[in-house]
Amino acid sequence: MVKSAAATKMGLMLDAMGANAGGGKVEEYMSDVEKHGANLSETFVELLKDDHDYVKVAAVLSSPAIFKYWSLDDPQGPGSHWAEGATDKSWRVRVAVAEVLADVATAAKARGSNLERVREICSKLMNDPEEEVRARDTHWLRYRLRAAPSPPSPP
């Protein structure tokens, strides 16, 4: 239960730390083991790889805040481990990925990611064997598309 609570609050903690990072690089600040006693990127990855579904789900649900600070595209970063959630053996983890995918894409795009990983994840979710996962992915994509601002009219 403690890991689940930590995973749930991870995004809030990173937002608070990001505000304290000053002018330096936020990723380096949050990975400073001497300053914080842990590399927070590695801590997030450990939560994503936990044996318990509820911990993984909590970590996935906190991920929109995570990817404001870490690249989704970095093959060595938490993005590659987060993407594995789209094919996790637990349908609950896959549903959680589907629920936050649009918000993660928004955060990743703001950081300059090319969103190729988001497209790959979306494709995996849309072809998931579980109807619940496909339905959730479709529901959230429709919701986000409706919530997105309309493109400007041509002149």
Side-chain angles (χ1 to χ4, degrees), residues 25-45:
K25 197 169 182 186
V26 176
E27 291 176 50
E28 290 176 14
Y29 176 78
M30 293 183 187
S31 299
D32 189 340
V33 176
E34 286 185 31
K35 183 176 287 251
H36 308 297
N39 178 324
L40 297 178
S41 172
E42 292 172 3
T43 301
F44 179 65
V45 169

Side-chain angles (χ1 to χ4, degrees), residues 48 67 72 78-88 97 117 121 124:
L48 289 172
F67 293 109
L72 187 61
S80 62
H81 299 284
W82 186 82
E84 292 171 8
T87 56
D88 194 89
V97 171
R117 181 165 278 156
I121 293 167
K124 289 175 184 175

Side-chain angles (χ1 to χ4, degrees), residues 58-75:
V60 166
L61 293 176
S62 71
S63 59
I66 304 298
F67 293 109
K68 286 193 286 187
Y69 303 105
W70 282 297
S71 173
L72 187 61
D73 298 331
D74 181 0

